[in-house]
Amino acid sequence: MHRKPSKRRRACAAFLLAALASSGIGPALAESSGTAFWVGCYRLTFGDDASKTRDVRLTDAEVPAHPGSYAVESVPASDADLASVWRPTGATSFRIGMSNGRTGWSAELKAADGAFTGTSHWVDDAGKSGSGYVVTATSIPCAAGATGTPAEH
């Protein structure tokens, strides 16, 4: 059974997605650079907190409400209730954001030493925000049932 997200949850997700969209990078960059370089599976780590590690797949499925943004899938799909998007921001960088409707975070990740690294910025549905963890995205093979393998970076 799938329940409809609460107004508060939708508002937080909308705020996070709007913050991601207002990063100053328009759809023209995504169109001109394509998505093939980034599409695939990644292990996201958050500082030294192993409990927050999560695997995701960046897709080339556009998010119509946010031109130039693409869907992120959780692997496994147990975290499917997260509103998650990503967008290219440069030749070797991308911005990613996730929200569960109560809290959310985004980070611009840049290529460094075989992975992508950046600092997360979080927001909650009460309007509090701040800096969070150093986020690292490392390419991993996609598990059975997930398609796509990222390019070698």
Side-chain angles (χ1 to χ4, degrees):
M1 180 167 119
H2 182 71
R3 60 188 165 149
K4 187 174 178 182
S6 69
K7 285 183 184 178
R8 219 161 113 164
R9 184 174 237 194
R10 287 191 310 264
C12 183
F15 178 81
L16 174 68
L17 296 175
L20 182 63
S22 67
S23 64
I25 306 300
L29 177 62
E31 291 166 6
S32 66
S33 64
T35 59
F37 180 77
W38 296 276
V39 168
C41 296
Y42 295 85
R43 174 150 298 138
L44 299 177
T45 56
F46 298 83
D48 294 329
D49 191 346
S51 70
K52 296 194 180 303
T53 299
R54 87 173 344 113
D55 293 345
V56 298
R57 184 169 78 88
L58 303 186
T59 74
D60 59 0
E62 293 185 50
V63 178
H66 302 282
S69 295
Y70 302 89
V72 175
E73 296 175 353
S74 292
V75 180
S78 61
D79 293 330
D81 65 331
L82 295 173
S84 309
V85 297
W86 74 277
R87 70 173 41 230
T89 58
T92 58
S93 61
F94 65 93
R95 180 170 284 279
I96 185 170
M98 297 183 148
S99 172
N100 64 9
R102 294 177 304 280
T103 61
W105 63 271
S106 67
E108 182 160 346
L109 304 177
K110 298 179 182 187
D113 299 324
F116 294 93
T117 305
T119 302
S120 66
H121 300 279
W122 60 271
V123 64
D124 68 17
D125 61 358
K128 295 179 185 175
S129 64
S131 292
Y133 294 94
V134 170
V135 180
T136 302
T138 306
S139 297
I140 60 171
C142 289
T147 58
T149 301
E152 293 298 317
H153 302 279

